């Protein structure tokens, strides 16, 4: 697996869609994406880059190793 580095929100959404997630959908304070029974929240658009630690949390939530 390549090293984890900060990523742009738009790229994150692109890669999650490639992994089978649908969305993003609006909901409450944050948008979310779904894949079957799995739902993950994604950062708001005002966050330009997603740092490494936050990206790791999102990937863990999405069950992506």
């Amino acid at each position: 697996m390549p090293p984890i580095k900060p990523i742009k929100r738009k790229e994150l959404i692109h890669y999650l869609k490639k992994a089978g997630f649908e969305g993003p959908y609006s909901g409450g304070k944050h948008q979310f994406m779904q894949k079957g029974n799995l739902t993950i929240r994604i950062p708001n658009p005002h966050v330009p880059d997603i740092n490494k630690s936050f990206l790791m949390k999102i990937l863990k939530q999405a069950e992506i190793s």
Side-chain angles (χ1 to χ4, degrees):
M1 184 165 115
I4 302 288
K5 59 182 183 175
I7 189 171
K8 298 208 177 289
R9 180 181 184 275
K10 193 173 189 176
E11 290 178 276
L12 173 64
I13 291 170
H14 170 77
Y15 291 127
L16 288 173
K17 284 184 177 185
K18 284 181 77 171
F21 282 85
E22 297 176 359
Y25 303 110
S26 295
K29 294 182 179 180
H30 293 275
Q31 292 180 332
F32 63 94
M33 295 182 79
Q34 291 183 316
K35 178 181 178 182
N37 292 333
L38 188 60
T39 301
I40 59 167
R41 289 193 173 118
I42 57 172
N44 287 322
H46 63 75
V47 178
D49 287 340
I50 299 164
N51 65 33
K52 181 181 173 180
S53 61
F54 193 41
L55 179 58
M56 292 300 293
K57 288 179 186 179
I58 293 170
L59 294 176
K60 185 176 180 181
Q61 231 183 13
E63 299 177 355
I64 297 173
S65 58

